[in-house]
Amino acid sequence: MKFLVLWQMELSLLSPEMARAVGAMPDYGERLESEGKVLSRYHVVGSHGGAWIYDVDSHEEFERLLGRAPVFNFARYTVHALAEMDSGRPGD
């Protein structure tokens, strides 16, 4: 199961704790990439947040990983479930 997660920092919650959480995100993302749970991570230009593509075995696993993100309590999330597209051509 793949999910596209767009997250944006809630700047009204700016605090030293939020700064530490933001600083912990690169290590968290690298760990998930090395485990094959995050396929790619992007910074959204002009925004205080990012776009990550998760590849997980279940909804429960996805929610667990998202909830463990260091910025979970400091960000707003938009989540899109992704589905593979085929060309519809015979033999594909």
Side-chain angles (χ1 to χ4, degrees), residues 4-68:
L4 168 63
V5 176
L6 301 169
W7 57 274
Q8 186 164 354
M9 299 306 299
E10 188 65 58
L11 295 181
S12 65
L13 301 175
L14 190 58
S15 65
E17 293 82 15
M18 178 191 218
R20 282 191 291 278
V22 170
M25 283 300 283
D27 289 339
Y28 184 70
E30 288 174 15
R31 182 173 63 79
L32 293 182
E33 280 183 326
S34 72
E35 294 172 1
K37 298 301 178 181
V38 168
L39 300 179
S40 54
R41 299 177 291 143
Y42 301 93
H43 171 71
V44 177
V45 177
S47 175
H48 297 284
W52 292 21
I53 299 176
Y54 286 78
D55 187 6
V56 295
D57 296 324
S58 67
H59 290 103
E60 294 81 11
E61 179 184 29
F62 170 69
E63 289 199 11
R64 186 177 67 253
L65 294 175
L66 190 63
R68 289 182 180 165

